[in-house]
Amino acid sequence: MVTGPFANLELPYETAKANATYVFRSLISTYLITHPHLDHVAGFAINTAALQQTLRRKRVAALPSTIEAIKEHIFNGIIWPNLSDEGDGAVGFVSYDRLVDGGNVALGDGEGRGYIEVCDGLAVKGWSVSHGECMKNNHQGSYSSESTEVGYSPYYSRRSSRKDMSSGSIDSARSQTFPQNPEKKAYDSAAYFLRDEQTGKEVLIFGDVEPDSVSSNPRTGRVWQDAAAKLSAGLLTGILIECSYDDSQPDGMLFGHLTPRHLVVELGVLARLVDGLASRGSRPSSPRKRKRPSNCHKLPFEEPRLRRTLSRHPVRRRTRSIVSPSTTARGESFGHASSEAVLASENSELRAVAKEDGFNHELPKGASKHMISPLQGLKVVIIHIKDPLRDGPDIGHTILEQLKGHEAEARLGCTFMISESGTSVWL
């Protein structure tokens, strides 16, 4: 191979199909599955039929709920032969590796504590996140302890009235509050931190995920909490996350996915946490440069990490939006409220962060403009877009422009890109 994601890889066959089978059989040892929806597992399941000539089992690594769903509904001898090494009629092509939600603290040490090696040189830690709602009698989900409403539609992110279904602004992504249903279960998905064992650098990869601000069981805040410390330490080099719809999609029709307005709000939670760490002096005191990578796990460019020394300011609770177009203007910045309120609770406080403004929009006296971008240099790669399959502008381009517009108002400092087939992304 000369170009593309497999450049410089020596392939033994002449045809694409033969080489694709070689990669699947011989080069890939572990498959990280975020959740068991068909668009995420169908390709792997169907191709397991080609594993009969391999010398070792393939590993499927996932959170336990995902493993159980694959066992019960895929490798069950009905939908597909049981090619795993568990259960009746097990063939043994595939073995299951059940990950611990939040990482196994008995494994690893230092920055790598909680991680488990999934292939040579790469280790993973997973967090469960919510991906819409499912019926109570479906095992694939987690209950919320805060639900009170009766009656709902399965797989809707939440119920919305007509006036609440207005879209296109970050205000609408944050300001709505609804009672919830004790019968609801949030469908389990996952976010994975992948760690390069040699360099200590990490990337964060999300499966399908909904906004915490509309979830019956908001859990993404835990991931941002973990990511903030890594980003502040210069270890997190990129985030790969979905943004399935553009901002025309109303909140009541998210089906457990993100839009640009919601994604920027979620990244605003990360920005607040990073900013809180910076205000306590967790960031380096002098600019640093990342070295040019010698392999695919490093960034191919150099960028400084500036210490942010802005003073703390009281949290304002008056406005309802993190980056309200009506209040954000030149010279405004993220405030420097402590992140203890976020860290205090994984549910109620994180929900409050997602629904109330925790930022001071006034630039502190003497602060320079380049110091108000908490996520400066972070690459955010959009990896999951739902094509509407109709005429009109390219949906990926629309989503990217909307993300750029929201980011310009929020002044987060991160850059967005849309992943495309055959494209190499260096992080």
Side-chain angles (χ1 to χ4, degrees), residues 1-37:
M1 298 291 290
V2 179
T3 61
F6 298 104
N8 301 321
L9 176 66
E10 294 185 5
L11 298 174
Y13 302 104
E14 295 182 0
T15 63
K17 63 182 179 181
N19 283 320
T21 303
Y22 166 74
V23 170
F24 180 72
R25 286 176 176 168
S26 304
L27 300 186
I28 300 175
S29 63
T30 305
Y31 292 82
L32 282 169
I33 308 296
T34 60
H35 63 293
H37 279 165

Side-chain angles (χ1 to χ4, degrees), residues 104-178:
N104 188 339
V105 296
L107 300 177
D109 58 6
E111 295 290 346
R113 187 174 186 183
Y115 288 72
I116 183 171
E117 188 176 72
V118 288
C119 64
D120 291 343
L122 284 179
V124 67
K125 179 171 70 173
W127 288 97
S128 62
V129 295
S130 295
H131 174 31
E133 294 164 2
C134 56
M135 299 296 291
K136 180 179 178 179
N137 60 1
N138 187 326
H139 73 274
Q140 178 62 29
S142 300
Y143 287 105
S144 167
S145 61
E146 303 177 7
S147 300
T148 57
E149 183 190 2
V150 176
Y152 70 100
S153 297
Y155 293 100
Y156 274 48
S157 293
R158 68 175 174 186
R159 299 181 60 170
S160 301
S161 65
R162 290 184 179 274
K163 70 175 183 178
D164 293 317
M165 291 172 65
S166 60
S167 58
S169 72
I170 296 183
D171 285 316
S172 67
R174 293 171 51 91
S175 62
Q176 304 173 33
T177 58
F178 288 82

Side-chain angles (χ1 to χ4, degrees), residues 193-318:
F193 286 95
L194 274 179
R195 175 182 173 85
D196 184 330
E197 296 281 56
Q198 181 178 3
T199 65
K201 300 293 185 180
E202 302 188 29
V203 295
L204 172 57
I205 304 176
F206 280 84
D208 292 350
V209 60
E210 68 180 347
D212 269 3
S213 59
V214 305
S215 177
S216 63
N217 186 10
R219 292 178 279 178
T220 309
R222 304 180 305 168
V223 182
W224 298 138
Q225 183 176 320
D226 200 354
K230 301 176 187 298
L231 187 58
S232 296
L235 298 177
L236 184 64
T237 61
I239 296 174
L240 293 85
I241 192 169
E242 70 135 283
C243 191
S244 294
Y245 304 109
D246 66 21
D247 277 335
S248 66
Q249 193 79 0
D251 284 356
M253 299 288 285
L254 291 178
F255 305 107
H257 293 287
L258 295 172
T259 63
R261 65 185 184 274
H262 285 296
L263 176 52
V264 171
V265 168
E266 288 293 331
L267 291 172
V269 176
L270 173 61
R272 177 181 179 179
L273 290 163
V274 171
D275 193 60
L277 292 173
S279 68
R280 290 193 295 246
S282 296
R283 281 204 170 185
S285 57
S286 59
R288 295 186 304 166
K289 291 185 178 180
R290 292 198 180 108
K291 295 180 180 180
R292 192 172 298 275
S294 58
N295 60 50
C296 64
H297 303 301
K298 304 177 186 177
L299 282 168
F301 55 86
E302 297 177 347
E303 64 180 21
R305 290 280 185 183
L306 297 173
R307 181 183 182 182
R308 305 185 56 228
T309 59
L310 305 181
S311 61
R312 291 189 188 179
H313 286 257
V315 177
R316 289 188 176 182
R317 297 295 185 186
R318 295 179 181 177

Side-chain angles (χ1 to χ4, degrees), residues 112 234 365:
K365 184 177 181 180

